[in-house]
Amino acid sequence: MSSSSTILILLLSSLLVANNASPKPEEYQTYIIHMDGSQKPTSFSTHESWHRSTLKSLSSSPSDSDDKLLYSYNHVMHGFSARLTPSQLSELEKSPAHRATYQESFGRLLTTHTTKFLGLKPKTGIWPASSYGKDVIIGIIDTGIWPECESFTDKGMSPVPDRWKGKCENGTAFSPTACNRKLIGARSFSKGLLAAGKNISKENDFESARDHQSHGTHTASTAAGSPVLGASHFGYARGTAKGVAPSARIAMYKVIWATSTPEATASDVLAGMDQAIADGVDIISLSLALPQTSYFYDAIAIASLSAIEKGIVVICAAGNKGGPNTTFNGAPWITTVGAGTVDRSFIATLSLGNGLTMNGTSYYPASAYITNAPLFYGAGNLSKSICSNSTLDPEEVAGKIVLCDNSTSIDILGQMKEVQRAGGYAGIFLADSINLDPQQYNTPSQFAIPSLVVQTSFGTSLKEYVRENDANVKSMRFVITSLGTSPAPQVAYFSSRGPDPINPGILKPDILAPGMDILAAIVPNKQYIKVGNYELVTDYALASGTSMATPHVSGVAALLKAVHHDWSPAAIRSAMMTTAYTLDNTGTVLKDQLTGMPATPLDFGAGHINPNKAMDPGLIYDLGFQDYVEFLCGLGYSKKQMRAVLRRNQWSCGQNSTDLNYPSFVTMFPRGSSTATAKNFSRVLTNVGDDTAVYRAVLVVPTGMSVKVEPRTLTFTRKYQTQGFVVSVEIEKDASEIQYGYLRWIDQHDHIVSSPIVAISV
Ligand SMILES: *[C@@H]1O[C@H](CO)[C@@H](O)[C@H](O)[C@H]1NC(C)=O
Ligand SMILES: *[C@@H]1O[C@H](CO)[C@@H](O)[C@H](O)[C@H]1NC(C)=O
Ligand SMILES: *[C@@H]1O[C@H](CO)[C@@H](O)[C@H](O)[C@H]1NC(C)=O
Ligand SMILES: *[C@@H]1O[C@H](CO)[C@@H](O)[C@H](O)[C@H]1NC(C)=O
Ligand SMILES: *[C@@H]1O[C@H](CO)[C@@H](O)[C@H](O)[C@H]1NC(C)=O
Ligand SMILES: *[C@@H]1O[C@H](CO)[C@@H](O)[C@H](O)[C@H]1NC(C)=O
Ligand SMILES: *[C@@H]1O[C@H](CO)[C@@H](O)[C@H](O)[C@H]1NC(C)=O
Ligand SMILES: *[C@@H]1O[C@H](CO)[C@@H](O)[C@H](O)[C@H]1NC(C)=O
Ligand SMILES: *[C@@H]1O[C@H](CO)[C@@H](O)[C@H](O)[C@H]1NC(C)=O
């Protein structure tokens, strides 16, 4: 197996550290230097020549200063990344043009029926209205792309628009002719990684935009893949695989490389985003994250704000850490995406000698049909009964189907390996959730022996039967895809949850999208799984992660952009959020897959994305660059910090308020307060419906919270008219830890503009 087994999403790494971190004496390190572009002397024709000259002028500068410059940035910020010694750095920091320094940091990845699950239809709704996202360009910052995948054929697509400035770079196993009208750009950025002393694996990667790890091929085909008939994961999930915006175009910016593990550096991520902005993408999709840190140290946050200022929508994964207070990429100008399950499951059926039958989950990649095999269970010995490492005796289990008890001390994948090691014929595993390890984004690739996972609740009857003499399995049948699974969607167990650790005052994630068992293109002709002596390959595979949820939202954003060319990034996000749904296919609140309990807006944000509704939201909560400036002023940032985030010397704080015109509401109250806590929010709605409309406020309020809206009726007489209102939220004393309700504006044309109201104790 390649390193792709660790691809899962996200991140590790140490961070963008403040410029007061003390590096080792006189060693070269990579720094990202943010400069004041307006101070470029006119004698330099380009910023890059100025950057080179600045580097050359440093006293202890080596003669080969050209080699020390990694990238010159012009869009995400004015500045560059370079290899510098500490004394060179301090010399540089004395320059009046110096704005901020970031130390290099490392990020990691956060992986077709889903279009149907999203309600996308060929004859009605947003697909035909947007011509399937025609001519919208999605820039994907990822592990590269496999251009020959059928998902990237350009049949029927119009010529690439003149506004496009991107290109298809030549490189190892990647010819510029690999691009076409679907894949219109492909570039790679590795200078930061190489400067950090890392080597790109020759066996597990290509030194070009060509993908080896499959992650980028998967995300790109999910966002905008062309239709491919008869795609499947070894027979599971068979159908036509299609991106969410199948007529949109793709540009790949490869910044994640296989070293010993998949890795990305902040300087390369910045370079990819910088180039994407310069090339003219409409949407930037990032299924990766750098460590959480304040916005003024966060390369993705700074680069995203620059993109937003140019009208580019930035969609990022929320992370795969599960648990509260774990979201990544939570800056309020970014659309932050959590992962949900879909109503599809992959099952195997088990039928026992005593007539008992049960269904379990399986991804075993062959239509195996096993009949009449003896069953083994290590009763009476705890480590054997849970199939711990090296406990099964090959003589006892050879040729048998091994039952492994549920356990918190060994995960199913470990149990599977043990059954395989000991020569078991097949395995039955008791567990309530198959995915115990959030880092296992490609769990399906681990099903190397016929295995099925059944609910712990079946354990008693199974174990009782095994105690009988001659217990046997009458049959096991694999490769069954079951649709209509309920409840669905659920919040995937691994999806990172709010409150946002950097700013709990903005609800994150913003929205949920399909991120569990997503079928999309991968790198073909490469062993995906080894079953017995056979190396199996596949060109479509299932993967899970907020990495997989993100390109769904990027695809929907592309559809919205195609319908509403003039909408701002905030308007597009607002439309997706206020039309999201919070009830599952059983009619109850979306559940948390981890606990089976109802989830909250801290888990799913505004709810699950609903593309057809998002096309016609009625009203939007709009935001522009100046609103974010005022928000940052309200955080009390210093001038230097403001310059770093805003990339300029002058700005106006205006209202200086952290109360953004956001489509969700968060209020914080002191835990166990003996008095009530109140907060007022001011919001402005813009009518994007064509009709005159009268909206009235409908509130869903839990006990312990009271909400007033003033005025309660908003009347719009023309398109783009705006109306303001104030929401007053009061939390009673002794309120419980977290409470949430909803404000919904409803008009006579069936528009429902819904926002969660969340109260968090601190
Ligand atoms: C393209 O890249 C390959 C591999 O790096 C190289 O061998 C070839 O000479 C390059 N072609 C051009 C036209 O630069
Ligand atoms: C990278 O490759 C070079 C040359 O092959 C080798 O000397 C160096 O040790 C490698 N570095 C790492 C981190 O593996
Ligand atoms: C197992 O799943 C199959 C296919 O979805 C279904 O027909 C059958 O009723 C299920 N059996 C049990 C015991 O749940
Ligand atoms: C079992 O093996 C796995 C992988 O080899 C290892 O991570 C785990 O710690 C082992 N567990 C025990 C209990 O030895
Ligand atoms: C349980 O099985 C393990 C592994 O086969 C063995 O080492 C151990 O002695 C057994 N324990 C008992 C109590 O029999
Ligand atoms: C398996 O789950 C059952 C029910 O949840 C629990 O009682 C039992 O202790 C678990 N077994 C192990 C070995 O953890
Ligand atoms: C959330 O996480 C951040 C750092 O990741 C920590 O500083 C903060 O105390 C945490 N907040 C809560 C409520 O746990
Ligand atoms: C904005 O408001 C914050 C908090 O009230 C305050 O700390 C900060 O100094 C203000 N900034 C400006 C520029 O007015
Ligand atoms: C909220 O606004 C109301 C009037 O709309 C005012 O009476 C109240 O004092 C305000 N509360 C806070 C906490 O600002």
Side-chain angles (χ1 to χ4, degrees), residues 381 383-384 390-391:
N381 182 321
S383 42
K384 251 190 214 185
S390 314
T391 58

Side-chain angles (χ1 to χ4, degrees), residues 513-661:
M516 188 82 180
D517 285 339
I518 303 307
L519 183 74
I522 64 163
V523 170
N525 310 325
K526 178 177 141 185
Q527 178 189 312
Y528 177 79
I529 186 171
K530 191 167 182 192
V531 174
N533 292 323
Y534 299 99
E535 294 187 356
L536 304 187
V537 303
T538 179
D539 43 10
Y540 284 79
L542 299 168
S544 301
T546 51
S547 281
M548 282 68 234
T550 301
H552 281 94
V553 176
S554 303
V556 174
L559 299 177
L560 287 170
K561 188 99 189 165
V563 179
H564 304 287
H565 303 280
D566 54 339
W567 280 12
S568 69
I572 288 175
R573 176 176 58 193
S574 174
M576 296 193 285
M577 287 175 68
T578 62
T579 57
Y581 61 87
T582 57
L583 300 182
D584 63 25
N585 58 3
T586 69
T588 56
V589 173
L590 303 180
K591 294 201 171 51
D592 182 342
Q593 192 192 17
L594 201 57
T595 59
M597 302 296 287
T600 77
L602 288 177
D603 308 316
F604 54 66
H608 194 281
I609 196 164
N610 191 351
N612 291 324
K613 288 272 186 208
M615 180 171 69
D616 179 23
L619 304 174
I620 52 172
Y621 293 87
D622 207 356
L623 281 167
F625 183 71
Q626 176 59 22
D627 298 295
Y628 297 122
V629 173
E630 293 175 16
F631 166 82
L632 292 166
C633 293
L635 292 180
Y637 277 14
S638 70
K639 283 216 162 63
K640 190 164 168 64
Q641 292 164 342
M642 290 294 284
R643 281 197 292 263
V645 192
L646 299 176
R647 314 167 315 280
R648 68 199 67 204
N649 293 329
Q650 273 168 354
W651 60 88
S652 152
C653 275
Q655 305 234 344
N656 184 14
S657 157
T658 53
D659 185 16
L660 277 173
N661 194 36

Side-chain angles (χ1 to χ4, degrees), residues 345 347-350 356-360 458 480-483:
S345 45
I347 59 179
T349 60
L350 170 68
L356 204 63
T357 66
M358 54 190 72
N359 284 343
F458 292 135
I480 302 168
T481 301
S482 167
L483 296 176

